[in-house]
Amino acid sequence: LRNMRADGKAIVIITHKLHEVMALSDRVAVLRKGKYIGTVNTADTNPQALTEMMVGRAVTLNIDRPEPKDPQKRLEIRNLTVLNSEGVKALDSASFDVYGGEILGIAGISGCGQKELLEAIAGLQPIEEGASIRYYPEGEDSKLELVGMSPLDIKKAGVGLSFVPEDRLGMGLVGAMGMTGNMMLRSYRKGHSPFTDRKAPKQLAEDIIEQLEVVTPGVTTPVRRLSGGNVQKVLVGREIAASPKVLMTAYAVRGLDINTSYTIYRLLNEQKAQGVAVIYVGEDLDVLLELCDRILVLCSGRVNGIVDGRTTTKEEVGLLMTNLRKEATEV
């Protein structure tokens, strides 16, 4: 892009990532809810000022990371191997533990097994023999083996598992349905009446619209008509509202404006404070280092290390993402 600029080309970049704006642009035009707010020279502004223009009010660009309180084991994963559609190992003998009251980040170059890891835990991927996924609902005194269970089996077993997948409309939501209908996907099996109860899902949809500032004409508008960011808000809000014991998120803030991104970080920390085990797959190393208690690094489908989010560096995580080691160490 810099070379193109040097050649006299005009370049327009649309991005939510302020570090890209500051690093690449010469001028910044800010839009807020479809309205033009103004244009500033990049050299004369900073991320805080741009954020205030984008949001319309002051926003604190700090991610809280409270210390885990009384962490208890929720998942024990051993020798987890998953093959992709071509029979190649997408995930190779992954072993690690997940604790309630912490946020475990998953870092790795795109396509290194993040998708297969979360989907395997959720019962959506065939798992090779020899693997174990043990769920501990009340600490290490109780356990339930999840390998071999379908998503419905997992739900019937009372496992409090919520999953925000990478594929929002293909897997997470039904695009032709409105917000109320998509809320009902989580609760329609609870009723015993031949008539569908839409009151509670409708109220939940309205709450999510208010709390996450979802831009939609109404709760019955098909979600496929919403922007990608608003679709993500609907999905994240629904999964958090399910009061899970384990919350798995794949790129939860992708496509979201900075204000909503920080709202999502706050919601994840609230879940952590309530003892939920949060697994956060992210692509922004700065966020992973600020938000997560531990960071598991995948490289070529293998766990290449688990580092302390408070003491590690982007350089260390980056090296683990790109250089496969024979033995991974865990903290």
Side-chain angles (χ1 to χ4, degrees):
L1 291 174
R2 293 189 178 104
N3 288 338
M4 292 174 67
R5 176 179 60 185
D7 288 340
K9 304 294 191 296
I11 303 170
V12 178
I13 304 172
I14 300 174
T15 178
H16 289 300
K17 298 180 179 179
L18 292 182
H19 68 273
E20 291 182 350
V21 172
M22 299 302 299
L24 287 172
S25 69
D26 298 291
R27 294 184 301 132
V28 186
V30 177
L31 300 177
R32 185 196 315 147
K33 296 183 179 180
K35 293 183 179 180
Y36 171 72
I37 303 302
T39 298
V40 295
N41 293 323
T42 307
D44 299 330
T45 189
N46 56 65
Q48 183 67 53
L50 288 175
T51 300
E52 293 180 11
M53 290 179 69
M54 293 164 62
V55 177
R57 63 178 185 275
V59 175
T60 301
L61 297 180
N62 292 317
I63 301 175
D64 290 331
R65 180 167 48 193
E67 289 285 345
K69 294 182 180 178
D70 190 26
Q72 296 189 14
K73 185 184 291 186
R74 284 286 175 260
L75 290 175
E76 180 184 87
I77 297 167
R78 296 292 181 268
N79 304 314
L80 184 59
T81 299
V82 177
L83 305 183
N84 62 20
S85 57
E86 299 176 352
V88 178
K89 288 182 180 179
L91 201 63
D92 187 2
S93 301
S95 297
F96 60 96
D97 297 330
V98 184
Y99 294 89
E102 76 159 6
I103 298 179
L104 174 66
I106 308 293
I109 297 171
S110 179
C112 279
Q114 301 95 318
K115 176 177 180 287
E116 289 79 10
L117 173 61
L118 298 192
E119 290 185 2
I121 296 173
L124 294 165
Q125 284 273 3
I127 297 172
E128 297 300 292
E129 290 186 9
S132 173
I133 303 175
R134 291 197 177 105
Y135 170 68
Y136 294 83
E138 302 298 336
E140 298 201 36
D141 294 334
S142 59
K143 62 183 178 181
L144 175 66
E145 180 60 58
L146 302 186
V147 171
M149 285 188 174
S150 68
L152 183 56
D153 293 334
I154 291 174
K155 184 175 182 180
K156 285 182 176 179
V159 177
L161 179 66
S162 285
F163 180 27
V164 178
E166 182 177 359
D167 187 357
R168 300 165 181 173
L169 290 177
M171 181 182 293
L173 301 169
V174 178
M177 296 170 61
M179 286 185 62
T180 299
N182 275 288
M183 297 305 113
M184 289 175 61
L185 294 177
R186 263 288 188 178
S187 60
Y188 75 100
R189 292 181 181 273
K190 294 181 180 179
H192 301 286
S193 167
F195 301 102
T196 303
D197 177 18
R198 300 179 67 88
K199 291 182 180 179
K202 183 173 183 291
Q203 183 61 53
L204 175 58
E206 291 173 347
D207 291 344
I208 291 174
I209 289 174
E210 179 181 355
Q211 294 177 22
L212 297 185
E213 299 180 348
V214 178
V215 179
T216 176
V219 294
T220 60
T221 301
V223 295
R224 68 164 180 261
R225 297 183 183 176
L226 308 184
S227 69
N230 284 299
V231 169
Q232 186 74 333
K233 293 178 189 179
V234 174
L235 181 53
V236 171
R238 185 191 69 186
E239 293 305 303
I240 288 178
S243 301
K245 290 272 190 176
V246 178
L247 172 62
M248 303 190 299
T249 67
Y251 310 106
V253 299
R254 179 182 285 172
L256 297 184
D257 63 85
I258 192 166
N259 184 47
T260 307
S261 296
Y262 278 79
T263 298
I264 298 299
Y265 303 146
R266 176 180 57 79
L267 291 173
L268 294 180
N269 271 318
E270 288 177 0
Q271 294 297 298
K272 167 184 167 179
Q274 294 171 18
V276 175
V278 180
I279 302 177
Y280 178 87
V281 174
E283 56 192 352
D284 190 326
L285 289 185
D286 290 306
V287 172
L288 285 166
L289 265 61
E290 284 188 65
L291 177 68
C292 301
D293 299 291
R294 293 185 300 144
I295 301 172
L296 180 150
V297 185
L298 289 173
C299 180
S300 300
R302 301 192 66 181
V303 176
N304 207 27
I306 300 179
V307 296
D308 188 325
R310 291 170 173 78
T311 59
T312 191
T313 63
K314 283 199 293 185
E315 289 75 18
E316 181 182 16
V317 175
L319 286 173
L320 290 173
M321 288 168 58
T322 55
N323 295 284
L324 188 62
R325 297 188 302 171
K326 290 183 179 180
E327 296 183 359
T329 57
E330 179 171 349
V331 296

